Amino acid sequence: MPVFQLTDELIFPPVDLAEPDGLLAYGGDLSPHRLLLAYSEGIFPWYNEPPVLWWCPDPRFVLFPDELKISASMKQVLKKGVFTFSINKDFRGVIRGCKESPRPGQDGTWITADVEEAYTALHEAGYAHSIECWQQDELVGGFYGIQLGDCFFGESMFARVSNASKAAFITFVKYAAEQGLEMIDCQVYTAHLASLGARMISREDFLSIIKKSQ
């Protein structure tokens, strides 16, 4: 199937026309309106250099808050109070931490200056949120994403000390459960998130959930 080129018009092709790896389209911009439209249709941007690439994989990797798994070792870390946590206290610090975090096998991350600016604008508009992990008043980990309705679309996480990102994620999932969030989108498989209870569901089921939750 062809990969669609976007124009200035705010529209995406049907997601069932995506490539087997989930690539759907390229081009367009990272304007708040386009990003919000993309997430509402189960699509997210991910690219290393222009043009913007838009994805909607099948199956989709997600975590349902009531399926969270916490290992015995992480329970001890959380019980000891090694970290403190906050929400939306330092969004810029979190996205910068994700941008600067080294990735195995990669020269850098996909978080360019344009991406940082775009998601910061969404944060200021009330759609993008960050979860911070602190140790002695120092930001040592966290992650950020987009919330639409009862679904949270996770984007990236980082840790400067061991267990910081995992502790932040666990704390957020507990908070999400308390707030009635139905699903956390993890986009693509990682062993790290699988160990916490994330699993694959079909794209059809994923889209059905986000449509009902908005």
Side-chain angles (χ1 to χ4, degrees), residues 87-88 91 94 119 122-123 125-132 143-148 152-153 155-156 172:
I87 294 179
N88 291 329
F91 184 90
V94 169
Y119 283 84
L122 282 179
H123 170 66
Y127 293 101
H129 305 283
S130 61
I131 297 83
E132 300 88 16
F143 85 105
Y144 74 95
I146 306 294
Q147 183 175 343
L148 291 178
F152 190 87
F153 302 83
E155 277 300 318
S156 188
F172 174 72

Side-chain angles (χ1 to χ4, degrees), residues 111-174:
I111 303 174
T112 63
D114 287 344
V115 170
E116 186 175 5
E117 181 181 343
Y119 283 84
T120 299
L122 282 179
H123 170 66
E124 292 171 350
Y127 293 101
H129 305 283
S130 61
I131 297 83
E132 300 88 16
C133 181
W134 305 88
Q135 194 170 58
Q136 297 177 349
D137 297 324
E138 180 183 355
L139 182 64
V140 294
F143 85 105
Y144 74 95
I146 306 294
Q147 183 175 343
L148 291 178
D150 292 331
C151 291
F152 190 87
F153 302 83
E155 277 300 318
S156 188
M157 62 176 63
F158 81 101
R160 296 190 176 115
V161 300
S162 180
N163 293 319
S165 61
K166 187 176 287 189
F169 185 78
I170 290 170
T171 300
F172 174 72
V173 175
K174 290 180 176 180

